[in-house]
Amino acid sequence: MSSAQDQLVTLLKQKGTGKTMSKSLSSDQLSELTDLLQDPQAKLATKSTILTAFLMLHNTPEEADWFHLLQRSFHDRVPSELHFLFQLNMTPSHPFIDLLQKPIQHHALSEQEMLKALNFLFDNTVPDYYKTAFLEAERLKEETFIENRTALDYCWKKANHYTAKLPLLIDIANPYDGFNRSFNISLFVAPLLASLGYPVIFHGCEEVSPKKGITLYKLLQAAGKNPLKSPEEVLSDLENPNIGWSYLDQRFSFPELHDLVSLRQDLVKRPVLATIEKFLTPVIPTGKHLLLTGYTHPPYRQKSIDLLRHLNKADQFMIIRGTEGSSQCPLDRRVPMITQLSHDSLNEAFSRPGDYNIQESDRILPDKNITLEQTLAYGLEGLQNPTSEAFYQLAYNALTILKGFNLIDDTHLLIKTLKANVSNHRVLSFWHNV
């Protein structure tokens, strides 16, 4: 039997998705929600999130009647901690509530207001239910560029950054919440690139909402490797020509943001934090820094371009509309890609397997039953069998990265080199050395 919190999360996933993707709740579900709001086993932070969604999203007539009744009788039906959501026009009992009113009413925050809100967000004395209301309101309102930019700058200053003595570093900056419908193969691309002399850094965390999917942390752990290497160990791996790749966990790169993982689990949805954390480049080379990232929903295309240009920390960046919001290129279709190789240029193109004489596969349908063990086995097959589909998917992604950043010209020759490096176990040694 599911817990009260699980039931509440299920309702929130249905109601609180967004302006265009949310589904309405039925009368039975609204009745269930009435009970859950008073159930002490359901988290206040999640209750705050779903009530914020009702305040901001379109409600069906049935939902509107339910919510109007709730607003008239909230003293009896809603925990006292959440009464602030029904008293937004009154003198706030906490300064964060004053800031909350603006996004809930679909108004943008100024830079100074956003800075104040971020200070509250990272203050562990502020209740989580204020924080989830704020993050949900910002998400549903849709953050402005000023709000996103302010959050990015703020987090950049608070995060840790480490210097690698390298002439070049490829930063693969995929979403931290992982994959739950397809193989997460970027980790296995790194030994291929390292075997060619191109070092790669990953960063992330063990598990975070909304997907709580198969992450690099989990894959490293399943492979018997240490996902919690110290920054010093990570730098040593990167600077070692016989390794050339590593993973730095958010526990080290940004401890204060990692402390919000449980808050984000109660929030359920993807907040502004998820947009910016992958851009924080925890390892910076002394030489050229190349950042690779991805997106799914069209609005995030321009948002990513604008934020990376504003931050201006990477010498070059590439943004791919890849698998599950990542930069990962699938074998079954072309993907849009945007590259900025100099500050005054932006190139838009497409990549597909046929560009590298790699056979395009039939349409691959999402599979929610893919396991961690299956992902690990698939990736390892690609590092050991140069005739396997897995190898070609890894090679295709490696070639897309190198070609996109203008690091290679002859892709045909490079495929031969990669096959040789797999056949003679050179790639596998780069995997085992970590």
Side-chain angles (χ1 to χ4, degrees):
M1 182 177 179
S2 60
S3 68
Q5 177 64 13
D6 291 338
Q7 294 170 43
L8 183 59
V9 167
T10 298
L11 296 180
L12 175 57
K13 285 181 177 178
Q14 183 166 325
K15 175 61 182 178
T17 302
K19 291 187 293 187
T20 60
M21 298 176 66
S22 291
K23 298 178 181 178
S24 59
L25 299 185
S26 67
S27 57
D28 287 343
Q29 289 174 316
L30 292 169
S31 177
E32 180 185 5
L33 181 54
T34 300
D35 294 336
L36 288 171
L37 287 174
Q38 300 180 71
D39 192 322
Q41 301 305 312
K43 301 284 188 68
L44 285 170
T46 310
K47 295 174 184 178
S48 180
T49 307
I50 197 167
L51 290 174
T52 302
F54 270 94
L55 280 167
M56 296 185 67
L57 293 173
H58 170 75
N59 295 318
T60 64
E62 192 169 29
E63 289 175 327
D65 289 343
W66 176 86
F67 194 57
H68 288 155
L69 177 61
L70 192 71
Q71 289 175 308
R72 291 196 300 269
S73 55
F74 69 88
H75 285 285
D76 301 320
R77 294 170 178 261
V78 176
S80 60
E81 294 90 342
L82 305 183
H83 287 178
F84 73 93
L85 288 168
F86 301 89
Q87 300 171 319
L88 292 174
N89 294 323
M90 298 176 61
T91 302
S93 57
H94 191 287
F96 200 4
I97 298 174
D98 192 35
L99 288 170
L100 274 171
Q101 295 185 41
K102 293 192 72 171
I104 286 177
Q105 295 168 2
H106 297 273
H107 299 310
L109 298 179
S110 68
E111 181 177 350
Q112 288 305 311
E113 288 170 330
M114 189 65 179
L115 285 172
K116 289 179 182 178
L118 290 164
N119 282 332
F120 288 129
L121 188 63
F122 281 89
D123 184 343
N124 58 18
T125 67
V126 175
D128 281 357
Y129 45 83
Y130 290 161
K131 298 177 183 180
T132 53
F134 169 73
L135 290 171
E136 177 72 347
E138 279 290 305
R139 191 183 70 85
L140 293 177
K141 173 186 71 64
E142 295 182 4
E143 300 92 347
T144 65
F145 174 66
I146 289 176
E147 291 168 338
N148 279 324
R149 180 196 71 193
T150 304
L152 180 59
D153 289 343
Y154 181 94
C155 288
W156 173 268
K157 292 175 183 176
K158 292 179 79 68
N160 295 322
H161 306 281
Y162 304 93
T163 302
K165 297 175 183 177
L166 293 168
L168 178 148
L169 180 63
I170 298 171
D171 182 341
I172 299 183
N174 285 334
Y176 282 16
D177 61 346
F179 287 47
N180 59 17
R181 301 185 302 277
S182 48
F183 291 127
N184 184 353
I185 56 96
S186 61
L187 191 70
F188 307 97
V189 175
L192 266 69
L193 291 170
S195 76
L196 298 170
Y198 300 102
V200 177
I201 182 65
F202 298 104
H203 38 94
C205 59
E206 179 178 6
E207 184 173 89
V208 68
S209 288
K211 286 185 180 178
K212 296 192 286 186
I214 296 172
T215 59
L216 303 183
Y217 182 108
K218 293 177 183 177
L219 283 166
L220 286 165
Q221 196 170 51
K225 301 181 184 299
N226 179 14
L228 290 176
K229 286 188 174 182
S230 69
E232 293 74 23
E233 291 174 303
V234 168
L235 293 178
S236 178
D237 284 350
L238 291 172
E239 293 168 0
N240 185 337
N242 295 315
I243 300 178
W245 68 278
S246 198
Y247 165 87
L248 182 62
D249 195 75
Q250 194 179 59
R251 284 178 175 89
F252 298 105
S253 64
F254 199 164
E256 287 184 84
L257 183 50
H258 190 268
D259 287 343
L260 297 180
V261 164
S262 60
L263 166 78
R264 292 166 67 177
Q265 181 173 329
D266 296 341
L267 174 69
V268 180
K269 298 301 179 178
R270 179 175 281 106
V272 62
L273 301 173
T275 302
I276 63 176
E277 63 189 349
K278 60 186 180 179
F279 296 154
L280 296 178
T281 55
V283 179
I284 302 173
T286 51
K288 188 173 288 188
H289 183 191
L290 312 179
L291 188 145
L292 175 69
T293 192
Y295 73 100
T296 296
H297 302 299
Y300 283 88
R301 171 194 169 280
Q302 191 61 47
K303 184 182 294 188
S304 298
I305 294 170
D306 292 342
L307 287 174
L308 288 173
R309 281 183 153 176
H310 166 76
L311 188 61
N312 196 28
K313 300 297 181 183
D315 295 285
Q316 299 176 359
F317 65 75
M318 178 161 41
I319 306 170
I320 294 175
R321 192 179 186 184
T323 305
E324 296 199 40
S326 75
S327 59
Q328 182 174 304
C329 299
L331 283 176
D332 63 345
R333 63 188 181 277
R334 72 176 189 174
V335 292
M337 54 190 294
I338 303 111
T339 52
Q340 179 173 294
L341 303 183
S342 63
H343 293 300
D344 58 354
S345 71
L346 194 70
N347 181 58
E348 301 196 39
F350 292 92
S351 178
R352 69 186 319 148
D355 297 339
Y356 306 98
N357 294 316
I358 294 174
Q359 184 174 354
E360 193 166 317
S361 68
D362 294 333
R363 183 70 171 174
I364 301 172
L365 297 176
D367 182 0
K368 292 185 177 181
N369 296 315
I370 284 177
T371 66
L372 178 64
E373 293 73 22
Q374 289 171 334
T375 302
L376 180 60
Y378 184 84
L380 290 176
E381 182 183 20
L383 300 183
Q384 299 174 82
N385 182 357
T387 64
S388 65
E389 176 191 280
F391 165 77
Y392 281 107
Q393 184 168 13
L394 299 182
Y396 168 43
N397 276 268
L399 291 169
T400 300
I401 294 168
L402 297 177
K403 185 68 173 177
F405 285 126
N406 277 350
L407 296 173
I408 57 168
D409 293 316
D410 192 339
T411 57
H412 182 68
L413 176 61
L414 205 64
I415 278 277
K416 288 185 174 181
T417 303
L418 287 174
K419 284 186 175 182
N421 286 353
V422 169
S423 297
N424 63 23
H425 308 298
R426 175 173 167 81
V427 167
L428 203 57
S429 71
F430 277 83
W431 168 261
H432 287 314
N433 287 344
V434 168

